[in-house]
Amino acid sequence: MTSFQERLRVRLISLSQNPIKAIWIACTLISMVYGVLVYAFVWHDNGKPRFERIIKSDGLGYYRYLPDIFITNDIKNLPDDALHFAKVDGHNVNKYYVGTAISMLPFFTAAVIWEKSFGMATDGRSPPFQITVSLAALFYFCFGLFLLGRLLIEQSFPLKWVLVTLFAIAFGTNLLTYSVELPSMSHVYSWFWINAFFYAYTKLIHRNQKKWLMLCAFTFAMIVLIRPVNGLV
């Protein structure tokens, strides 16, 4: 056995004895692959930037709360757009639920700070805002995956099958599409908050501490704010 093989064997044994670390490494590797896909196929088209196509379709409705509240300060006088707005008392109002926008808020704030720091015109649709929406989706995907893996390990599932499950979810479900190609849609945010709720709920059952009850309430509220029907969890 070569020295490389011996080091690899020792490292694998070490990871098997520290399953949380193994899950974190797996989630990091998966997220790196997702990041490469985003950079190559979403942020660029034939080598040219195409940031304007990130916030689109229904995602524009979910995201629209942020620029309307924090940039234009106007959520009543919206343009005529039957796809994203509904007419209420003579005003166009956003017909999408607000939870996705709340989830994006920290990343939106980072884009605002970036543009103001460089004296750029802040409109909510420029490349920094598009990029931070992509980063938000990758963040929520990665940590949702990690929470699921940790939850399964703490429920005594074997590490190898937990890793198989995580890779199967990452590359065999529509999470790939909604994290990479459609990051402004609500799905990947629901994914994170549902996993966070179940993780907090299991902790509450086993430890019965107030902080876990509060986390259960908060994560459940986010689930409902993103899509009320998901409250059936």
Side-chain angles (χ1 to χ4, degrees):
M1 182 179 293
T2 65
S3 59
F4 171 77
Q5 291 174 322
E6 178 62 22
R7 289 196 300 271
L8 180 61
R9 187 182 69 84
V10 172
R11 182 62 60 86
L12 291 175
I13 292 174
S14 175
L15 288 177
S16 67
Q17 296 171 346
N18 189 350
I20 302 301
K21 183 178 180 180
I23 290 171
W24 181 248
I25 292 174
C27 291
T28 301
L29 292 175
I30 292 170
S31 297
M32 289 173 64
V33 174
Y34 270 44
V36 170
L37 293 175
V38 168
Y39 182 84
F41 298 107
V42 178
W43 292 1
H44 293 82
D45 184 11
N46 294 323
K48 298 180 180 179
R50 63 166 193 173
F51 299 115
E52 72 280 356
R53 296 183 57 185
I54 296 174
I55 303 173
K56 58 186 178 181
S57 187
D58 286 347
L60 181 59
Y62 291 117
Y63 170 80
R64 185 69 189 252
Y65 286 102
L66 297 174
D68 287 343
I69 293 174
F70 296 104
I71 296 178
T72 64
N73 300 313
D74 187 358
I75 60 173
K76 289 185 177 180
N77 299 310
L78 302 176
D80 290 329
D81 181 354
L83 177 61
H84 300 107
F85 308 134
K87 188 76 72 174
V88 178
D89 296 331
H91 295 283
N92 291 320
V93 297
N94 196 323
K95 65 182 182 181
Y96 291 86
Y97 301 111
V98 73
T100 300
I102 295 174
S103 301
M104 294 177 180
L105 180 57
F107 299 86
F108 176 86
T109 302
V112 171
I113 294 172
W114 175 270
E115 291 210 334
K116 289 187 177 297
S117 298
F118 289 93
M120 302 168 64
T122 303
D123 62 1
R125 296 295 303 276
S126 57
F129 291 96
Q130 306 276 346
I131 290 171
T132 52
V133 168
S134 274
L135 295 178
L138 292 177
F139 173 87
Y140 285 106
F141 162 76
C142 177
F143 280 92
L145 200 67
F146 175 75
L147 286 175
L148 176 62
R150 183 160 185 164
L151 174 62
L152 294 176
I153 286 294
E154 292 180 0
Q155 299 302 310
S156 301
F157 285 89
L159 175 60
K160 65 177 180 179
W161 292 116
V162 172
L163 293 176
V164 168
T165 299
L166 298 184
F167 276 90
I169 290 173
F171 298 107
T173 70
N174 284 338
L175 269 177
L176 177 60
T177 299
Y178 289 113
S179 301
V180 173
E181 179 65 22
L182 299 170
S184 59
M185 303 287 273
S186 66
H187 301 70
V188 71
Y189 305 97
S190 290
W191 153 260
F192 169 80
W193 290 112
I194 289 172
N195 281 319
F197 170 75
F198 280 121
Y199 184 78
Y201 180 69
T202 57
K203 289 292 187 181
L204 176 64
I205 292 175
H206 292 100
R207 298 187 181 182
N208 195 28
Q209 295 175 327
K210 185 178 179 180
K211 66 177 182 179
W212 294 114
L213 177 61
M214 295 176 65
L215 279 173
C216 279
F218 176 73
T219 53
F220 184 77
M222 288 301 302
I223 290 170
V224 174
L225 285 173
I226 291 174
R227 183 170 290 182
V229 70
N230 287 347
L232 294 173
V233 299

